[in-house]
Amino acid sequence: MFALLTIIGQREMLKLGSMMSIMSIFSHFLLDFFVSFFNPLGPFLIQKFGIEVRLFTSFLALSAAMASLLQIFFGFLFDRIKQTKSLLFTMYIMEAIGIALIGFSTNFWMLVMSIFIIRIANSAFHPLGAAMAGEKSGRVVAFFSISGTLGAAFGPVFVSLYVSRFNLSALWIVSLPAIVLAILLLRVNLPERTVQRNKFQLKEALVLLPILFVVSVRSFAMSVVHAYTPLFVTNVRGYDLTVSGALITSGMIAGVVANYIGVILMERIGAKKQDLVAFIGMGLSIFLLLSSKNLPSIFASFVLFDFCGFLLMSANVVQAQKILPNRKALASSVAMGFAWSIGDFIATGYNSIFGNNIVLSLSLVVPVTLLAAIYFGIIQKFDTK
């Protein structure tokens, strides 16, 4: 949270308005901090449990996809439930338990259970948190995304250093602050959210299809690159595990800036031009990453990739909430979880086919992003201008 305050300042936090906005921002930081542990721990967990790279990366993509798919259910449900505080409390406790169980895992299947617990809690939070942030304005949604990006940025470098210094079984200590904060949360006064109890019609969600397609492709590309880059740096280039953690953190920090710029950029140039810029940047940065043989160029190319990818994140959510203003949780779940799940399901099949070839897996994402740039940035008719 101190990192978040450093970035946007205490005055900006006050400008965001209600306690509802502040809690959505803080909770996003904390819960995404925990869920970001998986990728940087990949090389360590693969070695500990003696599993194939393909199995681990496919499982990460599959678990993310299955959990994200539930977001549309949670979004529909939370648009009808006002008890925000009890929902947040449950999510805090579930993620804390999941983190502790990772440390206590004695076999791969216990690890699977632990990761699923964290994934589901995190999945449930996203439509709720985005709806809380959306009570104020699109700019608050941007700060909501920024806080999650910050959490995901500091998580990898923290867990890499923590596990390098202490044993994995000591992760239960990391989970304790979440339990304490969950208890303190019960004493916070949160205003009621806007809820929608009218009958839902499928045609309401169909207007979100253009956003769904964009986010699905972006999710696929980012899922593959985030899963394989730590393995590329560690297994192919031979650098230490802590370098992988620092690399992911650097990319996420770039995403902090990109999230906010993305909302402003969308308002000024429209969705089509923004898609064109973002997908071209993603494709070129992967090519540069694969060509890099020293740390400065590896960091520069990966940071560029994440910057371009995160340009679309907050912007997509803001677009969806403006299209369905009375169903913010549902709109957010489509623009985040449901679309993420589609991308992650595709990544799961992709990883199962190409998974053990790290360089090839990264290389084939380049033409995908460039084709996406052509379609979403030039051919398709949907735009916000």
Side-chain angles (χ1 to χ4, degrees):
M1 187 58 179
F2 290 112
L4 178 61
L5 292 175
T6 301
I7 297 296
I8 65 175
Q10 294 186 21
R11 290 186 180 180
E12 286 296 326
M13 284 292 290
L14 293 175
K15 289 179 183 178
L16 294 177
S18 69
M19 179 60 70
M20 182 80 75
S21 300
I22 294 171
M23 283 307 304
S24 72
I25 291 168
F26 172 74
S27 298
H28 202 190
F29 174 86
L30 179 69
L31 298 180
D32 275 16
F33 175 82
F34 285 140
V35 84
S36 69
F37 286 6
F38 308 142
N39 285 332
L41 288 178
F44 179 84
L45 294 171
I46 288 170
Q47 182 179 17
K48 178 180 178 180
F49 295 113
I51 55 178
E52 287 188 338
V53 170
R54 178 170 55 189
L55 175 61
F56 182 76
T57 56
S58 296
F59 165 68
L60 283 188
L62 180 62
S63 63
M66 292 178 68
S68 295
L69 190 60
L70 292 173
Q71 277 198 37
I72 198 164
F73 164 75
F74 289 127
F76 175 77
L77 181 66
F78 295 161
D79 271 332
R80 307 172 69 87
I81 297 177
K82 293 183 178 181
Q83 290 82 2
T84 305
K85 193 189 305 184
S86 58
L87 293 173
L88 284 177
F89 173 83
T90 304
M91 295 163 194
Y92 276 44
I93 294 298
M94 284 182 66
E95 286 215 15
I97 291 172
I99 290 297
L101 286 176
I102 288 178
F104 295 138
S105 296
T106 56
N107 56 67
F108 178 67
W109 297 111
M110 193 171 176
L111 175 69
V112 166
M113 180 184 68
S114 306
I115 291 177
F116 266 120
I117 290 173
I118 298 169
R119 291 280 202 204
I120 291 172
N122 195 268
S123 172
F125 168 75
H126 277 84
L128 175 67
M132 291 166 64
E135 289 286 319
K136 299 300 293 184
S137 70
R139 297 294 175 90
V140 178
V141 175
F143 281 114
F144 167 79
S145 295
I146 285 171
S147 66
T149 305
L150 276 171
F154 287 102
V157 71
F158 168 82
V159 77
S160 298
L161 292 172
Y162 186 86
V163 172
S164 296
R165 185 183 179 100
F166 304 101
N167 194 283
L168 189 66
S169 60
L171 272 180
W172 67 271
I173 298 174
V174 177
S175 69
L176 291 180
I179 296 174
V180 173
L181 290 169
I183 295 171
L184 293 175
L185 175 64
L186 297 177
R187 302 178 63 86
V188 175
N189 290 322
L190 285 180
E192 292 185 347
R193 290 177 297 110
T194 302
V195 296
Q196 176 63 266
R197 299 188 185 278
N198 295 336
K199 186 177 179 181
F200 171 73
Q201 296 182 346
L202 182 61
K203 65 180 181 180
E204 292 183 70
L206 292 179
V207 296
L208 297 174
L209 282 178
I211 298 173
L212 176 72
F213 295 148
V214 171
V215 180
S216 296
V217 177
R218 179 182 62 80
S219 173
F220 162 76
M222 296 191 76
S223 176
V224 172
V225 173
H226 279 218
Y228 281 99
T229 297
L231 299 171
F232 174 76
V233 171
T234 304
N235 296 2
V236 177
R237 294 295 183 233
Y239 291 103
D240 189 73
L241 175 65
T242 55
V243 173
S244 299
L247 184 65
I248 294 176
T249 294
S250 299
M252 290 295 185
I253 290 174
V256 168
V257 180
N259 260 307
Y260 192 71
I261 292 176
V263 174
I264 298 173
L265 195 64
M266 179 199 68
E267 293 172 349
R268 292 186 178 180
I269 69 173
K272 285 186 70 171
K273 291 180 180 177
Q274 186 182 35
D275 291 343
L276 182 65
V277 170
F279 281 115
I280 287 177
M282 291 170 74
L284 292 178
S285 60
I286 299 169
F287 177 79
L288 292 173
L289 174 67
L290 292 167
S291 304
S292 301
K293 296 184 179 179
N294 56 68
L295 282 180
S297 57
I298 288 174
F299 270 81
S301 54
F302 185 76
V303 165
L304 176 62
F305 173 82
D306 264 9
F307 182 87
C308 294
F310 280 105
L311 273 178
L312 302 178
M313 181 169 284
S314 295
N316 294 145
V317 178
V318 172
Q319 290 171 34
Q321 290 190 356
K322 286 182 177 180
I323 293 172
L324 290 180
N326 295 322
R327 296 188 185 274
K328 288 185 172 66
L330 178 64
S332 302
S333 70
V334 172
M336 295 189 300
F338 187 60
W340 291 349
S341 69
I342 293 174
D344 284 331
F345 273 123
I346 297 172
T348 301
Y350 178 90
N351 293 345
S352 68
I353 298 172
F354 304 107
N356 287 332
N357 192 323
I358 297 170
V359 174
L360 179 63
S361 296
L362 288 169
S363 300
L364 293 178
V365 179
V366 176
V368 172
T369 54
L370 295 181
L371 287 172
I374 295 171
Y375 178 76
F376 295 120
I378 300 174
I379 297 175
Q380 80 159 0
K381 296 181 179 180
F382 174 80
D383 201 356
T384 54
K385 294 294 286 185

